[in-house]
Amino acid sequence: MLQFLARRLLVALLVCLTVLTFAFALTRLAGDLAISIAGPNSTAADIEVVRKAYGLDRPLVEQFFDWVSRAMVGDFGRSYFFREKVSTLIFSRLPITLTLGLVGLGIALSVALPLGVISALREGRPIDRIISLVALLGQAMPSFWLGLVLMITFGLHLGWLPISGTGTWQHFVMPGVVLAFSAIPALMRLTRSGMIDAMSADYIRTARAKGLSRTSIVLKHAARNAAMPVVSIAAVQLGFMLGGSIVIETVFALHGVGFLAWESISKNDFPTVQAVVLLLAIIYTLLTLGADLLNAVLDPRLRAA
Amino acid sequence: MSALLEVEELDISFGALSAVRGASLEVRRGETHCLVGESGCGKSVTALAVMGLLPRNSVRQARRLAFDGKDILSLDEKGLSRLRGDRMAMIFQEPMTSLNPAYTVGSQMAEVLVRHRGASKRAALDRAAELLARVRITSPGMRLGQYPHQLSGGLRQRVMIAMALMCDPELLIADEPTTALDVTVQAQILRLLADLQKDLGLAILLITHDLGVVARTAHRVSVMYAGEVVESSPVDRLFNRPMHPYTRGLLSCVPVPGKVRRDQPLGSIPGMVPHVTQGFEGCAFRQRCALARPDCSGPIGRRRPEADRVYLCQIAPEEMTVS
């Protein structure tokens, strides 16, 4: 188990280093940073001043190592646009995104898992078809549209929930639901197919021959074996929710990391872009690592590998 | 006293396919009853029907299906599950996949006693360790904490046997328990089953296609062909004087030292097992039978040539030419 953990951590570290390099390279490939910082009405002399001031005249390799060594200790420099330290900026936005992602995943799992299990146990019956159809509709619905529909219905007409901002937990309900909707179909289908596989396995026949209760057969013996792909995909979905919730953050005016990423990219605020990309990469890597560890807990065979 | 397990006129079908037709057999207390036949003849399905473990797409009917004199045909899933694992247990052909990969041996064994006897986890684990030792697994305490993938096929089958014995069942159904194992391990498992049977007074319904296994372990034998039990007999009389032409054919396929001459080919049964669908009439063996007569395509009667013996054939014992 320790060896397994060590190997996974090493891989995770390498992934982060690779992303670090790419994040740096991509921002430099996007064009001459000095020109875009100086603005459209600047003269050649202005641009030279900017280039010197931001250290952009140094060799790329030197800039890279300078950035990496600072990044290691959490110093990402100052944002060009927000006039703030990048780290402060990110950490003020992160709680919003994390809350949104966790709420979204929570809703998604609490809907997708029971539906997937019910679907599997009633395979081919009407209830299974209905659930699949609903999942299909969920997948086909664009999240900005669903977001607006919810806002109009529950925010404007019914007045049950606030439509924008981040003041209370109620603010996270609608965006969480919208976010969950995009994750539910995949999670549900994986739960369904995993449960169908597990329920037809020989060890389930053994469990039945042992006279175990239906609950124990389904929830103990089948579910644990069906859970692995669901855990992996849930981790990816959470990563996607944390990094890719730009649309939803915009619709509901939640100023989280996703929104920050979009702002900084459009403003060519490259210290912020680099830091956000790195942060998201670390989050993804940690989530995948977490999923691997959870799976190793679920399936003893993985621990040996 | 009635037999422990009574099966009368059991029919099982999967859609149009008729898997078992009118099968009858009895397993008596403390006896090993072997159910023999080729692959696909309905042996396993018969066993699963007794346990109530048939797949959903099957239909089960019987005139009588009784365990310890009590009807189990009318029991629902819940009532049946009270019996399964407690008074009747089953082990399977696939030791490699029959244990849940996600739980330890100890946990899988213990839950049987917890479920049926309300035992504490602690007491159940003690019982599990005791039974692992009983099936001759060394260092049982260590094995309890292991996962199935850490055990060999032979060990897993021993675990399955030990697990089946958790509640001291009266009937153990063993569906080809040695088929997937090495020859040396096969012999050990069979000896183990025979010993357990003697010591615990278990009744065993042993499904096999291996006549060598039958000769070594059985008290009684039922021979199945194309979904029917064509002959039922005490083992010695079946081997000495098989009645049904199929049983005779089957026995002639077995090389017996001293009886088979090197320069003569071993016996074989010409033709193929027919595909039996619903509404099938007559003897399923008639196309392959050397003694077939016109009336073999009509309803077939049961013959009882002597006490304790039944066979399903139109031809009387005295009419059978010695082949």
Side-chain angles (χ1 to χ4, degrees), chain A residues 72-87:
Chain A
M72 291 289 188
V73 294
D75 176 11
F76 294 97
R78 299 187 74 83
S79 161
Y80 296 163
F81 180 73
F82 293 97
R83 311 287 167 206
E84 240 184 305
K85 274 174 80 181
V86 173
S87 47

Side-chain angles (χ1 to χ4, degrees), chain B residues 228-254:
Chain B
E228 284 175 312
V229 175
V230 294
E231 180 160 5
S232 243
S233 163
V235 67
D236 46 343
R237 285 189 265 163
L238 183 103
F239 277 102
N240 285 335
R241 192 158 165 252
M243 290 292 180
H244 194 280
Y246 175 66
T247 316
R248 293 163 172 234
L250 210 56
L251 291 180
S252 77
C253 302
V254 182

